[in-house]
């Protein structure tokens, strides 16, 4: 792997780390947004999707660089990315790559933890919305029932004749 490739990989990993931090920050913002603010939620989710798309582009570029180099180095770097060879001995020129990968993996972990919390919050919001909908449905049934009684006139089982 050339020095230029190593520098570019380090830059890609650093850029991805920054994007993951931004992704997590937006997730934290989403968690603070009230359930009723659909437009703002949609906007923030779209921002996160743009970040995901950019990370995907960077991942493709990194994969091309890794796959284009020496097979042993590529295997070592792939192992570092998955966490299986982070502590393996590497040549001096790959130490910056390892450092960038360690930082990247840390950012990935934080983003994944944030996603779990956000997913749980959205599941809770969904459950609350379902419960509210059920409650509204029950209220509508009552309203429909009383409305139907009122429309048919004195059809409440007859009227009492109170005269003797």
């Amino acid at each position: 792997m050339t020095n230029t490739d190593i520098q570019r990989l380090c830059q890609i990993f650093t850029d991805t780390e920054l994007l993951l931090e931004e992704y997590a920050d937006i997730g934290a913002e989403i968690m603070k947004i009230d359930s009723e603010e659909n437009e703002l939620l949609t906007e923030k989710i779209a921002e996160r999707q743009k970040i995901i798309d950019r990370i995907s582009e960077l991942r493709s570029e990194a994969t091309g660089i890794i796959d284009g180099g020496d097979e042993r180095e590529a295997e070592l770097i792939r192992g570092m990315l998955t966490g299986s060879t982070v502590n393996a001995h590497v040549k001096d020129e790959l130490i910056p790559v390892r450092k960038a990968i360690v930082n990247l993996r840390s950012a990935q972990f934080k983003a994944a933890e944030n996603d779990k919390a956000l997913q749980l919050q959205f599941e809770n919001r969904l459950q609350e919305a379902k419960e509210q909908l059920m409650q509204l449905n029950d209220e509508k049934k009552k309203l429909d029932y009383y409305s139907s009684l009122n429309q048919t006139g004195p059809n409440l089982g007859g009227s009492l004749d109170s005269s003797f």
Side-chain angles (χ1 to χ4, degrees):
M1 187 167 292
T2 68
N3 192 32
T4 303
D5 289 342
I6 290 171
Q7 288 176 355
R8 182 62 191 140
L9 271 181
C10 288
Q11 187 61 52
I12 289 170
F13 295 151
T14 300
D15 291 350
T16 303
E17 175 189 353
L18 294 174
L19 287 168
L20 286 168
E21 289 171 359
E22 184 179 350
Y23 176 86
D25 289 345
I26 293 171
E29 289 176 27
I30 289 172
M31 291 181 75
K32 295 176 185 173
I33 297 173
D34 188 61
S35 297
E36 310 301 318
E37 298 184 55
N38 293 333
E39 282 186 39
L40 186 55
L41 283 170
T42 301
E43 181 183 309
K44 292 295 180 183
I45 290 169
E47 285 179 37
R48 280 174 45 118
Q49 185 57 50
K50 287 179 185 176
I51 292 171
I52 291 168
D53 294 344
R54 179 65 183 132
I55 289 171
S56 180
E57 292 169 6
L58 290 170
R59 180 179 292 137
S60 294
E61 184 180 351
T63 300
I65 293 169
I66 293 166
D67 291 345
D70 178 66
E71 184 57 38
R72 281 178 278 155
E73 285 180 346
E75 187 176 319
L76 181 64
I77 292 171
R78 280 191 220 102
M80 285 189 275
L81 286 167
T82 61
S84 62
T85 60
V86 170
N87 294 324
H89 176 72
V90 295
K91 295 188 281 186
D92 287 344
E93 55 265 13
L94 289 180
I95 289 175
V97 173
R98 179 173 53 195
K99 287 179 181 177
I101 289 173
V102 168
N103 293 336
L104 173 64
R105 289 185 47 76
S106 176
Q108 287 172 323
F109 178 76
K110 289 176 187 174
E113 289 298 311
N114 180 280
D115 271 356
K116 287 178 190 175
L118 188 59
Q119 183 65 35
L120 180 62
Q121 184 185 48
F122 269 76
E123 288 171 5
N124 290 337
R125 287 181 181 186
L126 176 63
Q127 186 60 36
E128 288 173 9
K130 285 180 180 179
E131 289 170 5
Q132 288 175 349
L133 189 58
M134 293 294 286
Q135 205 171 30
L136 287 172
N137 192 28
D138 288 345
E139 294 297 320
K140 184 183 180 315
K141 287 179 184 177
K142 288 179 189 176
L143 183 63
D144 289 347
Y145 173 73
Y146 288 118
S147 293
S148 71
L149 289 178
N150 204 19
Q151 289 176 359
T152 60
N155 205 6
L156 303 174
S159 296
L160 175 66
D161 183 4
S162 60
S163 64
F164 284 103

